[in-house]
């Protein structure tokens, strides 16, 4: 398994800007799948709830008395109004904060749910008090004591589910909120159907009960889906998490109410200044407009969710969002303009007569709706929520005043004309904010000569990185390494090692010479000439957040630690780069790395060669084992603490081969090393999970001769040898697995998924909890011989040389063992979390492997 790298991992936003679009429309659209997927889910939610809502009230009107339907509709209206107000800005605050929050996401969500539910409960009690004291009609609609208590509970539950839906949007899990709302719509309709066939007279309370049951069951189904996906950590509310968020929540709530209440009040103004009949026509026309406005509303909400966690992506997301809204919604609004009277005629001839022209005018306000929604989303992302809220208050009041003034002149047409004029004036005021974002020049754009889109293979490995630390060396300094890179850039400015990595846009950004000269000073850090702690250099790079440097270097004290994005390559390309940079720095010359052909079709060709013409292999090639789902167990709070421990030995390979010749002929030394490490962990009491492990393997063995792969071309299948402490079992299982070639299928499936759903630029966040008794889950990576580095300017003989290969990611319970050979010396690196396992114990396991692996293995027989 040569040239493999150990990092299997779970999205986070990119710190760098997206460069100019390249690669055509398909590539551009693929980069905005998060926007399409989540906005589409919100639109689908509106469509489904509207369709099933119509079906619900149609069944209710035929199965229940009119009085019961009236009571239920009044209760639902109260749920909607008070629940929306009772959200208290919590949902919008979650959308704003969840994207950038590291850990404790569900603790914050559950806290917001608790606050919203409490606020809505108070609102519900206030509504009941108002009904009893001042509104006899509402009091009659409440029903009995049980129905009243159910209504208060429903109001609180509705507010909580509204916040939960927006939290899912903030997590960019729009399909999950669609699933919850779909189940809610179906469940309440099915329950109503069951009640309708019973020999009972339905009451308003029983109709309301179907809504409550639908909400409860839909949340339960959502919770099960979240647990199965492993997305939920602790859900214990912590009011302390709201500390410092009060002002932002108030500002969001002000903005929400300022945009919601005036629209909700417009029908009241129409009724007050014209008539109830005029309001029926206006309400119908306004619902048609609301259906159109659903497009910019949902796109803008998704834009807010996406860009809140990735402000660098705001410009590109706003551009794509406007393209969607104006490219799809605007033509639809023109259709409504020209077909306004026939559309209103669907509701009756009187509707067409009284509101046909009004709908035509309202449809022309679609563009103002687009700019207003995008203005609000941009203001939220840029932290100008209060200003947008104050503007929206005045805008809402102006629209209501305009409606009152226009209506007082005697016709619905004049009323909507004046409202449309006010909305047009609002557009003039908010459009500059939107257009500034659209036409803004992103940072460094003036220094970017060109861009190259990442291949699917590069995008698949974009969240991961890999560290190589070597030394001691002579004559190698940070400044010499910078000059070597500057020389490489001068010869080939589009080389990936001297380009900027745009994680959000999935592109390589190629800089001009002045920009790269400044860029390389950030990429290479000088630690000075004093004594260096090479292990600490590795850990320092491990701890650094992922950035836009595909190659990040620390140099000092004779050592070089180089962190390389896996999008650049795995062990083979990285060793080539490391060797040339160090040699060029030692010779004080420019680095020279020949351009490599990007074989985009190497994987499909290799798969076809392995399986396409051999149907007998299809079944074997399409079936592969999956890691077992972790069993639920008691947990404790946990925070990541990634670290590494290393060891090496110049004698152990000889002793391994001697033991092998006697007890396990033909077995590789890597299989012996893996088995010995698993045995050492068990002997030291760490109780590793021996049901199987992840074995990273290089897939270059399957490509045609002469085809070089300069990026990452490995995969890590989960395998279950009969015994992880038996080298023969490991060797046999690995050999059989590699003979099938099914890792090519795994790689194709992963790239296919990325082509459809996109790929994250950064890994998923770590969970906040860990099993109280963790069991090491093992990943093995053998990088083979590194003798290609033999001609570096080493300062010591082979036994004293440092040659570390370290991943920058691991699961909470994972331990990754990386092995390599160089000059007859075995080098071992174990990557794990110090917050999970004692580093001294893991270091002891490595020492045992380097001392007497045969004894470890024989002790398990």
């Amino acid at each position: 398994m040569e040239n493999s790298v150990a990092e299997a991992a779970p999205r986070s936003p990119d710190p760098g800007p997206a460069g100019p679009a390249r690669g055509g429309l398909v590539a551009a659209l693929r980069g905005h799948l998060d926007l399409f997927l989540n906005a589409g889910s919100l639109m689908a939610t509106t469509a489904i709830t509207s369709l099933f809502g119509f079906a619900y009230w149609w069944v209710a009107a035929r199965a229940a008395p009119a009085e019961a339907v009236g009571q239920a509709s009044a209760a639902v209206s109260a749920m909607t109004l008070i629940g929306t107000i009772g959200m208290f800005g919590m949902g919008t605050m979650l959308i704003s904060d969840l994207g950038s929050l590291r850990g404790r996401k569900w603790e914050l969500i559950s806290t917001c749910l608790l606050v919203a539910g409490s606020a809505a409960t108070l609102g519900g009690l206030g509504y009941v008090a108002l009904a009893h004291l001042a509104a006899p009609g509402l009091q009659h609609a409440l029903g009995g004591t049980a129905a009243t208590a159910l209504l208060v509970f429903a109001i609180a539950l509705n507010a909580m589910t509204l916040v939960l839906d927006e939290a899912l949007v903030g997590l960019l899990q729009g399909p999950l909120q669609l699933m919850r709302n779909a189940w809610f719509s179906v469940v309440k309709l099915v329950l109503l159907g069951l009640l309708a066939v019973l020999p009972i007279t339905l009451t308003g309370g029983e109709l309301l009960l179907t809504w409550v049951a639908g909400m409860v069951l839909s949340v339960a189904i959502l919770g099960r889906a979240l647990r199965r996906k492993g997305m939920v950590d602790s859900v214990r509310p912590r009011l302390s998490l709201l500390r410092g968020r009060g002002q932002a929540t108030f500002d969001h709530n002000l903005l929400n109410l300022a945009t919601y209440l005036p629209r909700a009040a417009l029908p009241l103004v129409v009724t007050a200044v014209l008539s109830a009949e005029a309001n029926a026509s206006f309400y119908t026309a306004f619902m048609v407009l609301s259906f159109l406005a659903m497009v910019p509303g949902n796109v803008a909400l998704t834009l807010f969710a996406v860009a809140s966690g990735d402000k660098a992506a705001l410009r590109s997301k706003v551009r794509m969002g406007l393209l969607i809204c104006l490219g799809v919604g605007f033509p639809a609004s023109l259709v409504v303009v020209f077909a306004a009277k026939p559309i209103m005629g669907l509701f009756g001839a009187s509707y067409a007569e009284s509101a046909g022209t009004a709908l035509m005018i309202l449809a022309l306000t679609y563009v103002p709706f687009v700019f207003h929604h995008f203005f609000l989303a941009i203001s939220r992302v840029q932290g100008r929520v209060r200003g947008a809220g104050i503007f929206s208050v005045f805008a809402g009041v102006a629209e209501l005043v305009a409606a009152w003034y226009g209506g007082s002149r005697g016709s619905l047409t004049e009323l909507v004309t004046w409202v449309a004029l006010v909305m047009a004036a609002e557009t003039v005021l908010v459009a500059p904010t939107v257009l500034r974002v659209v036409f803004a020049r992103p940072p460094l754009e003036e220094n970017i000569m060109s861009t190259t889109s990442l291949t699917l293979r590069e995008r698949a490995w974009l969240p991961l990185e890999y560290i190589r630390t070597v030394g001691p060396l002579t004559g190698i300094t940070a400044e010499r390494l910078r000059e070597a890179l500057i020389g490489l850039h001068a010869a080939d400015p589009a080389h990936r090692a001297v380009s900027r990595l745009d994680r959000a846009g999935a592109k390589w950004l190629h800089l001009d010479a002045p920009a790269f000269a400044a860029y390389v000073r950030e990429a290479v850090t000088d630690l000075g000439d004093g004594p260096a702690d090479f292990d600490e250099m590795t850990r320092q790079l491990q701890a650094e957040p992922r950035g836009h440097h595909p190659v990040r270097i620390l140099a000092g004290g004779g050592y070089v630690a180089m962190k390389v994005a896996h999008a650049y390559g795995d062990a083979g390309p990285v060793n080539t780069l490391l060797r040339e940079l160090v040699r060029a720095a030692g010779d004080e010359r420019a680095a020279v790395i020949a351009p490599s052909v990007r074989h985009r079709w190497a994987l499909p060709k290799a798969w076809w060669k392995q399986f396409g013409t051999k149907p007998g292999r299809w079944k074997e090639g399409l079936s592969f084992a999956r890691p077992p789902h972790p069993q639920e167990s008691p947990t404790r709070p946990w925070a990541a603490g990634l670290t590494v421990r290393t060891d090496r030995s110049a004698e152990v390979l000889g002793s391994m081969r001697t033991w092998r010749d006697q007890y396990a002929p033909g077995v590789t030394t890597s299989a012996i090393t893996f088995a010995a490490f698993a045995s050492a962990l068990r002997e030291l009491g760490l109780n590793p999970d021996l049901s199987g492990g992840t074995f990273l393997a290089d897939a270059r063995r399957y490509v045609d001769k002469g085809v070089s792969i300069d990026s990452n071309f490995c995969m890590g299948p989960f395998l279950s040898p009969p015994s992880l402490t038996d080298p023969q079992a490991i060797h046999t299982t690995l050999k059989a697995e590699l003979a099938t070639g099914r890792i090519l299928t795994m790689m194709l499936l992963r790239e296919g998924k990325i082509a459809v759903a996109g790929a994250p630029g950064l890994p998923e966040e770590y969970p906040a909890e860990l099993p109280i008794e963790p069991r090491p889950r093992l990943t093995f990576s053998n990088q083979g011989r590194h003798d290609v580095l033999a001609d570096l300017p080493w300062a010591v003989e082979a036994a004293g040389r440092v040659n570390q290969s370290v991943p920058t990611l691991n699961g909470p319970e994972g331990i990754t063992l990386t092995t390599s050979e160089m000059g007859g010396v075995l080098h071992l690196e174990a990557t794990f979390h110090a917050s999970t396992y004692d580093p001294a114990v893991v270091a002891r396991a490595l020492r045992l492997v380097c001392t007497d692996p045969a004894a470890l293995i024989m002790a398990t027989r």
Side-chain angles (χ1 to χ4, degrees):
M1 296 189 302
E2 296 180 356
N3 297 339
S4 302
V5 197
E7 286 192 69
R11 160 173 115 130
S12 271
D14 168 30
R22 288 283 296 269
L25 180 61
V26 173
L29 296 179
R30 188 183 295 137
H32 297 282
L33 280 172
D34 49 2
L35 197 62
F36 283 100
L37 187 63
N38 289 279
S41 300
L42 290 172
M43 294 180 203
T45 296
T46 302
I48 289 174
T49 53
S50 299
L51 177 63
F52 279 89
F54 175 83
Y56 181 92
W57 291 113
W58 185 86
V59 173
R62 283 154 180 76
E67 180 181 10
V69 175
Q71 288 179 346
S73 61
V76 170
S77 297
M79 282 169 48
T80 303
L81 177 63
I82 301 172
T84 301
I85 298 173
M87 291 174 70
F88 214 66
M90 291 291 164
T92 320
M93 182 270 287
L94 286 172
I95 293 176
S96 174
D97 287 10
L98 286 176
S100 57
L101 187 64
R102 306 294 293 182
R104 292 192 171 182
K105 289 189 175 185
W106 280 97
E107 290 185 355
L108 177 60
I109 292 172
S110 61
T111 304
C112 291
L113 295 180
L114 178 63
V115 173
S118 301
T121 299
L122 294 176
L125 294 174
Y127 173 77
V128 171
L130 176 66
H132 279 86
L133 298 176
L138 292 179
Q139 180 181 356
H140 177 71
L142 290 176
T145 302
T148 300
L150 181 64
L151 173 60
V152 174
F153 175 72
I155 289 171
L157 185 60
N158 185 56
M160 296 172 75
T161 56
L162 290 174
V163 172
L164 179 60
D165 286 344
E166 294 201 353
L168 292 171
V169 173
L171 294 171
L172 298 183
Q173 295 295 328
L176 288 180
Q177 70 81 29
L178 170 61
M179 180 198 74
R180 190 203 73 77
N181 281 282
W183 275 109
F184 165 62
S185 299
V186 170
V187 167
K188 76 175 192 291
L189 180 59
V190 169
L191 290 177
L192 175 62
L194 293 175
L195 290 176
V197 300
L198 295 177
I200 59 174
T201 300
L202 294 178
T203 65
E206 288 162 346
L207 294 179
L208 180 61
L209 185 60
T210 63
W211 285 70
V212 172
M215 286 188 281
V216 171
L217 288 175
S218 68
V219 171
I221 293 170
L222 172 66
R224 184 170 181 269
L226 290 170
R227 286 194 298 273
R228 291 182 64 181
K229 288 176 174 286
M231 292 177 60
V232 179
D233 37 43
S234 171
V235 295
R236 182 173 58 181
R238 293 177 182 267
L239 291 176
S240 61
L241 292 176
L242 295 180
R243 190 176 299 121
R245 291 186 164 96
Q247 187 62 60
T249 303
F250 173 83
D251 291 341
H252 282 299
N253 192 44
L254 171 65
L255 181 53
N256 292 342
L257 296 179
T259 53
Y260 170 73
L261 293 179
R263 300 282 192 270
L266 266 177
L268 301 179
V269 174
V270 175
T271 302
V273 298
L274 293 175
S275 64
E277 292 78 8
N279 182 52
S281 300
F282 170 79
Y283 191 79
T284 304
F286 198 72
M287 287 302 99
V288 175
L289 174 65
S290 298
F291 185 78
L292 283 175
M294 170 185 70
V295 177
N298 289 327
V299 170
L301 181 62
T302 305
L303 165 69
F304 169 43
V306 172
S308 289
D310 186 4
K311 292 180 174 59
L314 178 62
R315 173 175 171 267
S316 63
K317 299 301 181 184
V318 169
R319 285 183 165 189
M320 181 54 65
L322 284 175
L323 179 64
I324 296 170
C325 296
L326 297 179
V328 176
F330 183 62
S333 70
L334 293 180
V335 171
V336 174
V337 169
F338 291 108
K341 290 195 175 183
I343 291 173
M344 293 304 297
L346 296 174
F347 302 93
S350 61
Y351 284 83
E353 180 65 27
S354 61
T357 304
L359 176 58
M360 185 183 303
I361 297 169
L362 287 173
L364 292 174
T365 65
Y366 175 79
V367 172
F369 263 106
V370 171
F371 277 91
H372 190 80
H373 279 298
F374 274 71
F375 164 74
L376 298 181
I378 291 169
S379 297
R380 292 186 197 270
V381 172
Q382 294 180 338
R384 297 198 295 265
V385 181
R386 181 175 300 179
I390 294 172
F391 172 83
S392 296
V393 168
F394 283 102
V397 171
E399 290 174 16
L400 294 177
V401 170
W404 190 281
Y405 176 77
S408 66
R409 297 171 69 88
S411 76
L412 181 60
T413 300
E414 290 221 33
L415 184 148
V416 297
T417 299
W418 280 95
V419 172
L421 289 173
V422 170
M423 293 182 68
E426 294 170 13
T427 304
V428 173
L429 296 175
V430 302
T433 298
V434 179
L435 296 178
R436 273 196 297 270
V437 173
V438 171
F439 295 108
R441 291 174 65 86
L444 290 182
E445 186 178 79
E446 64 276 12
N447 303 118
I448 296 172
M449 300 185 302
S450 62
T451 66
T452 303
S453 296
L454 269 67
T455 63
L456 285 175
R457 192 179 313 124
E458 290 168 341
R459 292 168 61 199
W461 291 94
L462 188 56
L464 307 180
E465 297 174 320
Y466 162 52
I467 299 170
R468 295 284 282 112
T469 303
V470 295
L473 305 163
T474 60
I476 307 302
T477 65
E479 192 57 38
R480 288 186 176 187
L481 287 167
R482 291 176 186 141
E483 291 300 324
L485 283 166
I486 289 173
L488 175 60
H489 180 271
D492 183 6
H495 196 283
R496 295 174 305 149
V498 291
S499 299
R500 181 183 174 106
L501 183 57
D502 175 10
R503 294 179 181 272
K507 299 180 181 72
W508 299 102
L509 308 181
H510 310 308
L511 308 177
D512 61 22
F516 182 74
Y519 184 72
V520 76
R521 301 203 71 81
E522 298 176 5
V524 182
T525 299
D526 189 352
L527 299 182
D529 298 328
D533 183 340
F534 49 85
D535 281 328
E536 181 55 34
M537 291 170 68
T538 301
R539 287 193 288 268
Q540 181 178 335
L541 287 179
Q542 268 189 327
E544 281 189 5
R546 287 154 175 76
H548 46 68
H549 292 101
V551 179
R552 173 79 175 94
I553 299 175
L554 304 180
Y559 291 89
V560 174
M562 184 173 76
K563 181 168 69 171
V564 184
H566 263 328
Y568 177 87
D570 52 25
V574 170
N575 273 343
T576 299
L577 175 66
L578 174 64
R579 175 179 178 270
E580 177 56 20
L581 285 181
V582 172
R583 283 173 54 85
D587 297 340
E588 296 188 74
R589 60 173 174 82
V592 179
I593 302 176
S596 179
V597 178
R598 305 178 89 198
H599 294 280
R600 293 177 181 266
W601 299 102
L603 177 58
K605 286 181 179 178
W607 188 92
W608 182 256
K609 177 182 176 182
Q610 190 76 9
F611 299 105
T613 59
K614 304 175 181 67
R617 294 184 179 180
W618 289 1
K619 181 178 180 181
E620 186 179 46
L622 294 173
S623 61
F624 39 84
R626 297 181 181 274
H629 190 73
Q631 295 182 348
E632 292 189 6
S633 60
T635 60
R636 62 174 174 84
W638 180 83
L642 194 68
T643 190
V644 63
R645 290 298 181 269
T646 67
D647 212 326
R648 62 184 183 272
S649 172
E651 294 81 27
V652 72
L653 286 173
S655 65
M656 279 186 186
R657 292 180 179 116
T658 300
W659 178 88
R660 175 188 63 189
D661 294 342
Q662 182 175 359
Y663 294 98
V667 169
T668 61
T669 56
S670 60
I672 297 172
T673 305
F674 296 161
F677 184 67
S679 301
L681 292 177
R682 187 168 73 170
E683 180 174 308
L684 295 174
L686 287 186
N687 189 26
D689 182 355
L690 299 180
S691 64
T694 300
F695 293 81
L696 281 102
D698 191 343
R700 288 175 176 83
R701 69 187 73 235
Y702 305 107
V703 303
D704 293 332
K705 290 183 178 180
V707 176
S708 62
I709 307 293
D710 63 349
S711 57
N712 207 307
F713 206 67
C714 64
M715 194 66 199
F718 180 85
L719 303 177
S720 296
S723 172
L724 271 185
T725 60
D726 180 0
Q728 185 67 61
I730 293 175
H731 175 79
T732 302
T733 301
L734 267 175
K735 187 175 180 180
E737 176 66 23
L738 294 175
T740 67
R742 65 178 143 224
I743 65 172
L744 296 170
T745 303
M746 298 172 67
M747 294 167 69
L748 269 180
L749 291 175
R750 181 177 61 177
E751 291 192 10
K753 179 180 179 181
I754 289 170
V756 174
L762 295 172
E764 293 284 355
E765 297 171 355
Y766 285 116
E769 294 190 341
L770 177 81
I772 293 176
E773 297 182 1
R775 299 186 65 190
R777 304 183 187 280
L778 301 178
T779 297
F780 300 107
S781 173
N782 173 42
Q783 298 198 353
R785 297 181 184 275
H786 286 177
D787 291 336
V788 66
L789 304 180
D791 57 358
L792 297 186
W794 298 103
V796 296
E797 294 302 317
R801 296 171 185 172
V802 170
N803 178 48
Q804 295 181 0
S805 304
V806 178
T808 62
L809 196 67
N810 214 337
E813 295 182 83
I815 299 181
T816 297
L817 178 70
T818 310
T819 71
S820 62
E821 298 180 25
M822 188 174 71
V825 178
L826 177 66
H827 295 264
L828 302 180
E829 296 83 36
T831 305
F832 59 98
H833 290 275
S835 47
T836 304
Y837 307 113
D838 184 351
V841 175
V842 177
R844 175 64 178 157
L846 294 175
R847 182 89 300 264
L848 289 174
V849 174
C850 286
T851 303
D852 195 353
L856 291 170
I857 294 168
M858 297 301 287
T860 63
R861 293 194 167 190

